[in-house]
Amino acid sequence: MTNWMVFSRQPDVVLAQYAELKRQVPLLYALLAVSACAVGYTHYALAPAWTTLGFLGALVTVCVWRIACWLAAPAADSIGVGQARTQLVRTTILAGVLGFVFITWSLVIDHYGGPAERGHVALFIAATVIGCIFCLVHLPQAAMLVTAIVTLPYLLYYVLRGDPIFIAMALNIALVTGVMVRVLLNSFQGFTAMIESKSALAAKQDETERLNAENARLAHTDMLTGLPNRRFFFNRLEEALNAARMTRARIVVGVLDLDRFKPVNDTYGHAMGDRLLTEVGRRLMGVASAETLLARLGGDEFGILLTGDVADSQALGQTICDMLAVPFVIDGQRINLGCSAGLAAYPDAGSCVHELFDRSDYALYHVKSSKRGGCALFSIDHETLIRSERAIEAALQAADFEAELSICYQPIMCVLTHSVIGVEALGRWNSPSIGAVPPDRFITTAERLGMIHSLTLALFAKALSEFAQMPEDFRLSFNLSAYDITAPDCLDRVKQLVLTSGVDPARLTFELTETALMRDFNAAVEGITALRALGAQIALDDFGTGYSSLGYLRQLPLDTVKVDGSFTSNIEEASGRTILSAILGLCRTLGLECIVEGVESEMQLAALKGLGYRRAQGYLFARPMPLAACLDWQRAAILPSFSESEVA
Ligand code: C2E
Ligand code: CA
Ligand code: CA
């Protein structure tokens, strides 16, 4: 018995069976009750009251109670599989019990009445059992149990009674129900197969949805750091902006840029660079929250999107910069990076994604050039600067370099002999539309606009042609931009200009700032090597303002170090003197010439001399001057001079 009582292991099949039974079993009970009442009615006058009224009353009560139970039973989608399975077992048992009770009652009542009543009972049993099989089509165990419990005693009963017509009828019914059970089993098989394929399809669909979600996640994730990527960042920024427009909320957009990442990447290799970025990503993930989205935008640039108070956002920006300034230790190597951040708030700084992002980038650019490691919020001052920068950009793009550019020369002095050893060429631009623009501003603008090479070449050509008029023992120092030194094409043109000018390359020094070298260390070293191969010398400009380490200086093929003017203005303090003295000592050890810049007073000069400096530049001797003024100054100012050896 237990074997065919085993119910499907498939939860979906069990639930589907339950759902079908919930629809059909009440009909089954109604059929039973009505048919039994009809038999009771025809036998009312013939059979004892306990077989009609008494028995029927109890049976109808049971049927009505079961109908009520099924109608009140929970729907298939709100029931557990275990509960549904219990219900199936219970229904099967009850079907067996009721089948037994009904057949017993029918065969008892068959003893009363004439041939018509007996025909009615035989029909009642046959019709009811067929009805049961139909209603229990989704619970074959119950249908088969009822069929067996009803048809076997039915057949046996009529065979024993020996009436051939009833025996034929009973045999016929047994045959029909047998075939019906077979058909029922086939159709139940079809039913389970359908449910199973339905749930397989649903499972497949779930899997497809899961894969789609995973693909979407991967498409939005930066593989190296695990942070959201650029695409995700800009999508979210767009959404946040749309929401902020409706709610009038404030949002803050920011760009984070790692300081010193490039030289580290160049020096230690890309594998180390990748590990550093992964580590940076890990630190940033610790800061991300529901209000703070952090994403990798590319390279060593990260984006931040903050919802909420602007002051809090700025504080968080600074916290992140401080957090990334804590040294990284990878394979026992201690590496100092650092991070600068620029923020822009909606709606103060801009109203669209493009504007906000540009402004945060602008704030970053400014913080990088003034206060590395800091976090700046785009402000009104930045706005004013942007306006004037736009004007510079427009004027520069329309500029006639030949007519508008000129060179001023500032002497570089030997402080022992008080004689000029050379001049530094400093570019000047006088625009007919916006007037004179300081070189650090037009140089950076030209760099940003990608015009720097043609500007450098125009200035250098002028400097070379004017240099022919200077005394033959002068050297010429010329500043190259960070972008020039890493561009082989530009350096080729520089070389061509030198060769066609007739100026001896040995009289030339090219000045480069540390930032120029930091941008792309390897390419810068290649550029330096090419210029030195020409015979020119190389000076490291503004030394001390960047992050040069002593070891770093040793790696570079340099001739001269120019000590930044900020050290000179600090010379009155003991610490300032200590640093100046240390730098000079270092240069001597490395065999490098050392020029100190920004000398403005006799006192500073005396102190520098005291420290051992021999070369200096500054307003004390002369301001940068156009060629003619420079030549006049030279003729008037330095005669007579001593030779260096005499003084020494
Ligand atoms: P730099 O190469 O460090 O040039 C020295 C700057 O310090 C010059 O400013 C000069 O006028 C100024 N200076 C000289 N002596 C003193 C002093 O005693 N006290 C003070 N406070 N300043 C002094 P300038 O001409 O405005 O140039 C600024 C910067 O612009 C330069 O710094 C250089 O980095 C860049 N630059 C100038 N001309 C060119 C150029 O032709 N090409 C490139 N790429 N950069 C240039
Ligand atoms: Ca310089
Ligand atoms: Ca300098």
Side-chain angles (χ1 to χ4, degrees):
M1 167 161 164
T2 43
N3 209 20
W4 60 265
M5 285 287 282
V6 171
F7 292 90
S8 172
R9 287 177 193 285
Q10 280 276 342
D12 290 333
V13 174
V14 173
L15 287 173
Q17 282 181 283
Y18 174 83
E20 295 296 337
L21 288 179
K22 185 168 155 53
R23 285 197 300 167
Q24 286 162 8
V25 172
L27 290 175
L28 169 62
Y29 280 113
L31 171 77
L32 275 183
V34 171
S35 307
C37 284
V39 174
Y41 175 73
T42 53
H43 287 71
Y44 180 63
L46 307 168
W50 67 269
T51 58
T52 52
L53 288 182
F55 191 82
L56 263 181
L59 276 176
V60 169
T61 310
V62 169
C63 285
V64 170
W65 167 64
R66 289 306 302 157
I67 289 175
C69 285
W70 273 105
L71 290 180
D77 51 12
S78 55
I79 194 176
V81 183
Q83 222 181 328
R85 191 172 277 128
T86 311
Q87 195 62 37
L88 298 191
V89 174
R90 190 181 296 159
T91 304
T92 309
I93 295 170
L94 213 58
V97 172
L98 283 175
F100 177 75
V101 172
F102 266 84
I103 190 67
T104 311
W105 176 69
S106 310
L107 298 183
V108 167
I109 214 164
D110 188 56
H111 288 89
Y112 308 98
E117 285 77 19
R118 291 198 60 215
H120 186 188
V121 170
L123 184 73
F124 161 71
I125 297 171
T128 311
V129 78
I130 290 171
C132 283
I133 294 173
F134 261 113
C135 292
L136 292 171
V137 72
H138 295 107
L139 190 57
Q141 295 88 338
M144 289 193 295
L145 189 63
V146 170
T147 310
I149 286 178
V150 173
T151 44
L152 292 180
Y154 178 66
L155 189 59
L156 198 65
Y157 172 76
Y158 286 112
V159 168
L160 289 179
R161 288 204 63 168
D163 184 331
I165 292 181
F166 282 97
I167 293 174
M169 217 155 93
L171 278 171
N172 196 359
I173 295 302
L175 196 67
V176 169
T177 52
V179 170
M180 281 188 69
V181 164
R182 179 66 251 167
V183 172
L184 172 145
L185 285 176
N186 289 346
S187 102
F188 183 72
Q189 245 170 25
F191 171 76
T192 37
M194 185 191 75
I195 298 294
E196 277 167 8
S197 81
K198 233 176 167 175
S199 38
L201 203 72
K204 218 174 192 169
Q205 222 162 24
D206 284 353
E207 177 64 6
T208 314
E209 269 166 31
R210 195 190 61 74
L211 284 176
N212 283 347
E214 178 66 8
N215 280 345
R217 193 187 66 76
L218 289 179
H220 288 141
T221 305
D222 170 59
M223 286 306 152
L224 191 61
T225 58
L227 288 170
N229 63 12
R230 188 181 186 89
R231 187 194 322 187
F232 184 80
F233 180 78
F234 280 100
N235 285 350
R236 280 287 300 276
L237 177 55
E238 189 79 60
E239 283 169 19
L241 207 54
N242 286 339
R245 281 192 195 108
M246 313 274 246
T247 56
R248 298 183 178 275
R250 274 168 181 261
I251 57 171
V252 176
V253 182
V255 198
L256 309 171
D257 193 271
L258 298 183
D259 299 327
R260 296 183 290 279
F261 178 74
K262 198 144 183 36
V264 169
N265 203 35
D266 289 345
T267 315
Y268 294 98
H270 292 284
M272 176 64 105
D274 283 358
R275 290 181 62 189
L276 263 175
L277 286 172
T278 313
E279 195 53 32
V280 168
R282 212 178 51 75
R283 288 193 192 178
L284 290 179
M285 259 182 217
V287 185
S289 68
E291 296 81 38
T292 309
L293 171 72
L294 278 151
R296 179 167 174 229
L297 303 181
D300 60 347
E301 196 181 60
F302 297 82
I304 183 166
L305 172 61
L306 301 138
T307 41
D309 188 69
V310 175
D312 289 351
S313 302
Q314 209 176 345
L316 184 64
Q318 189 58 58
T319 307
I320 292 174
C321 292
D322 296 344
M323 184 182 80
L324 294 178
V326 176
F328 292 83
V329 179
I330 292 179
D331 289 345
Q333 297 258 30
R334 205 178 142 86
I335 295 169
N336 282 296
L337 285 183
C339 172
S340 306
L343 305 178
Y346 169 85
D348 317 70
S351 56
C352 67
V353 167
H354 177 71
E355 223 169 21
L356 283 170
F357 194 74
D358 260 17
R359 305 232 144 151
S360 59
D361 207 30
Y362 190 85
L364 170 73
Y365 166 75
H366 271 264
V367 86
K368 278 218 153 212
S369 51
S370 58
K371 185 182 139 229
R372 264 168 189 266
C375 170
L377 181 70
F378 186 87
S379 65
I380 295 283
D381 291 348
H382 289 131
E383 186 67 54
T384 320
L385 265 175
I386 279 200
R387 292 235 170 85
S388 69
E389 255 164 46
R390 296 278 180 269
I392 295 177
E393 278 175 15
L396 196 61
Q397 271 161 333
D400 172 357
F401 285 173
E402 197 43 48
E404 296 170 29
L405 292 176
S406 62
I407 308 279
C408 277
Y409 299 90
Q410 186 178 36
I412 301 173
M413 309 294 293
C414 167
V415 299
L416 302 178
T417 61
H418 209 74
S419 62
V420 182
I421 55 164
V423 288
E424 177 176 1
L426 294 159
R428 295 292 177 259
W429 176 37
N430 199 0
S431 158
S433 57
I434 55 170
V437 181
D440 25 19
R441 295 207 63 191
F442 72 75
I443 296 287
T444 43
T445 308
E447 285 174 345
R448 205 173 46 246
L449 295 179
M451 297 171 67
I452 186 64
H453 301 328
S454 46
L455 189 107
T456 299
L457 294 167
L459 286 170
F460 189 49
K462 274 181 193 276
L464 281 176
S465 78
E466 291 183 349
F467 187 55
Q469 300 175 45
M470 294 211 182
E472 283 195 353
D473 55 347
F474 276 21
R475 299 185 56 80
L476 174 69
S477 281
F478 186 82
N479 295 285
L480 285 179
S481 142
Y483 293 81
D484 299 329
I485 193 65
T486 51
D489 286 356
C490 179
L491 293 181
D492 279 349
R493 299 280 304 280
V494 166
K495 192 171 149 188
Q496 285 304 317
L497 285 175
V498 175
L499 297 178
T500 49
S501 71
V503 171
D504 178 3
R507 292 175 66 200
L508 297 175
T509 301
F510 291 99
E511 298 192 3
L512 294 163
T513 60
E514 278 175 68
T515 3
L517 305 174
M518 290 292 217
R519 267 190 76 243
D520 188 343
F521 188 79
N522 294 337
V525 170
E526 265 175 45
I528 291 176
T529 313
L531 292 176
R532 289 183 104 221
L534 189 66
Q537 295 196 352
I538 304 295
L540 183 63
D541 206 354
D542 302 345
F543 183 73
T545 53
Y547 293 91
S548 311
S549 62
L550 309 182
Y552 192 63
L553 262 190
R554 209 170 285 137
Q555 288 178 37
L556 288 166
L558 299 173
D559 302 284
T560 305
V561 167
K562 293 187 80 174
V563 183
D564 192 67
S566 54
F567 293 100
T568 314
S569 43
N570 237 358
I571 201 165
E572 279 162 55
E573 288 165 30
S575 62
R577 278 196 299 278
T578 311
I579 295 175
L580 279 165
S581 171
I583 295 176
L584 186 65
L586 173 72
C587 290
R588 282 192 179 143
T589 311
L590 296 176
L592 300 172
E593 184 66 86
C594 188
I595 302 175
V596 63
E597 293 185 297
V599 184
E600 293 181 350
S601 69
E602 290 290 356
M603 196 280 300
Q604 290 172 339
L605 179 62
L608 287 165
K609 275 177 159 174
L611 290 174
Y613 277 90
R614 300 187 313 162
R615 306 274 185 255
Q617 193 180 342
Y619 292 168
L620 174 67
F621 310 105
R623 291 191 173 247
M625 303 162 281
L627 176 72
C630 184
L631 293 175
D632 288 348
W633 173 87
Q634 183 254 342
R635 276 190 288 270
I638 44 167
L639 293 171
S641 76
F642 308 92
S643 85
E644 218 170 291
S645 51
E646 273 175 74
V647 178

